Amino acid sequence: MEDTLEDLEVRIRGILNSLIAKSSVNSVHSAEDQRSTPPEHCNTFANSSKEKKKNVLLPTAVVHIKGGDGQLHPCKAILDSGSYFSFIRQRLANKLTLKKEKRTTSVSGLGEITLKVKQKINAVIQSKNGSFSTALDPLIVSYITTTSIHRMDASKIKIPSNLDLADKDLGIPGEIDLLIGCELFFELLRPNQLRSPCEKWLFQETVFGYIVVGSSDKFEEKSYCGLAINSKINSDSLNQQLRAFWEIETVDESSKEYSLEEEICETQYQSTHYRNEEGRYVV
């Protein structure tokens, strides 16, 4: 069972006070000083706080796109009035088996970062009931974006029961396979628009159904532990004691004996995973 914040604080205070007491004794230079100088102590503290963050819900819709075999493939799309181009993810473009055409284009965004795009496809998208259909020639890219960072509880949005949602999985983090840009964006909108009672959420009708946009507040709890020591304590001795403590607490994995299955797994992991300069794990 994991220690609570209070248990950790008590444990750390006890260990460190013991170490500081030993350090202070070593730093006394005479017996007289030992009799007259009281043991030094340190203070540990623990604190927890809640950090407020915004979680924005992007306008997503389930769009059906026609493949080379004439079959319709549903995909999650984002409607973006601020994008000059439309984009399709490489994995979806491959699945559609449509003919890819050469199109050398430079796409730039924030920070003037430029991406070279070399292919596009000519596709047809339509709504789930078939009442709307139009041509779309998106550029092929390896990745677009995700819908949100954190999961949202859709029940808290209080969506009217009579609304036909364009994306019934809104609020669930997921990857986007299609981005429809400004060229078609306003053609997709319909007149009806509603606001939630709290005015945080906007329900906009489109040819694919109602999209939901807005934001919610997310509170993340963070814990902090600290150590306050007397500046008169011998720092070298304190560092030595602390180093010894952490060495005792460290688990020595090198001495662990693995079974044959564990050795195979370990070898496979070491040969297929590494950590790059940015600290990210690469498979």
Side-chain angles (χ1 to χ4, degrees):
M1 180 179 296
E2 295 184 356
D3 293 332
T4 63
L5 191 61
E6 291 79 7
D7 293 335
L8 289 173
E9 182 184 2
V10 172
R11 185 184 174 200
I12 293 172
R13 182 184 292 115
I15 295 173
L16 292 178
N17 279 340
S18 176
L19 295 174
I20 299 301
K22 292 179 181 179
S23 176
S24 62
V25 170
N26 293 333
S27 64
V28 177
H29 300 290
S30 65
E32 180 179 356
D33 290 337
Q34 290 182 16
R35 291 191 297 270
S36 61
T37 304
E40 301 285 357
H41 293 283
C42 67
N43 293 321
T44 60
F45 62 89
N47 181 40
S48 63
S49 62
K50 289 186 176 181
E51 184 177 350
K52 180 179 177 181
K53 293 185 176 181
K54 278 194 176 296
N55 199 9
V56 179
L57 191 62
L58 301 177
T60 58
V62 174
V63 176
H64 290 75
I65 185 167
K66 188 174 293 186
D69 56 358
Q71 296 295 318
L72 293 176
H73 300 263
C75 66
K76 179 165 286 196
I78 185 169
L79 312 184
D80 187 355
S81 63
S83 177
Y84 188 90
F85 297 103
S86 293
F87 300 94
I88 187 170
R89 195 169 178 182
Q90 180 80 55
R91 67 179 185 183
L92 177 58
N94 293 340
K95 184 178 179 181
L96 295 175
T97 66
L98 293 172
K99 182 181 178 181
K100 298 172 184 176
E101 298 182 3
K102 290 184 178 180
R103 169 72 182 275
T104 304
T105 305
S106 295
V107 180
S108 61
L110 294 176
E112 297 183 352
I113 298 175
T114 301
L115 172 68
K116 294 287 186 181
V117 180
K118 298 180 179 180
Q119 291 180 313
K120 72 166 188 173
I121 61 171
N122 295 318
V124 174
I125 60 172
Q126 70 176 54
S127 58
K128 55 189 173 183
N129 58 11
S131 61
F132 174 86
S133 178
T134 187
L136 184 70
D137 55 346
L139 302 177
I140 301 175
V141 293
S142 60
Y143 181 77
I144 299 177
T145 187
T146 57
T147 52
S148 61
I149 300 175
H150 304 288
R151 177 183 290 266
M152 288 188 185
D153 186 356
S155 63
K156 295 182 179 180
I157 301 179
K158 297 182 180 179
I159 302 171
S161 58
N162 61 330
L163 290 188
D164 179 24
L165 294 177
D167 179 11
K168 297 186 184 301
D169 291 330
L170 61 91
I172 301 177
E175 296 180 351
I176 296 296
D177 283 326
L178 182 68
L179 185 149
I180 302 176
C182 187
E183 182 181 5
L184 281 180
F185 180 87
F186 293 98
E187 185 179 339
L188 304 177
L189 301 183
R190 291 296 178 262
N192 293 331
Q193 187 182 98
L194 303 171
R195 279 197 175 274
S196 64
C198 65
E199 297 188 351
K200 278 189 174 183
W201 303 102
L202 175 69
F203 309 102
Q204 173 66 55
E205 186 183 14
T206 72
V207 296
F208 306 116
Y210 278 85
I211 56 175
V212 184
V213 293
S215 64
S216 65
D217 295 330
K218 179 179 177 62
F219 293 90
E220 293 184 352
E221 186 167 344
K222 293 190 174 182
S223 300
Y224 306 89
C225 291
L227 168 68
I229 62 174
N230 191 313
S231 61
K232 296 181 180 179
I233 294 177
N234 188 305
S235 60
D236 293 336
S237 178
L238 174 60
N239 289 334
Q240 183 179 2
Q241 295 286 347
L242 289 175
R243 188 179 299 108
F245 165 72
W246 291 119
E247 288 175 354
I248 292 173
E249 290 291 306
T250 301
V251 178
D252 185 8
E253 291 288 347
S254 61
S255 62
K256 181 179 178 180
E257 294 184 1
Y258 292 99
S259 65
L260 177 60
E261 291 82 1
E262 289 175 330
E263 287 183 359
I264 294 174
C265 292
E266 180 69 17
T267 301
Q268 174 69 12
Y269 177 83
Q270 294 293 342
S271 62
T272 58
H273 296 70
Y274 70 93
R275 201 167 187 176
N276 62 20
E277 296 178 353
E278 296 177 353
R280 296 184 178 181
Y281 284 97
V282 180
V283 179

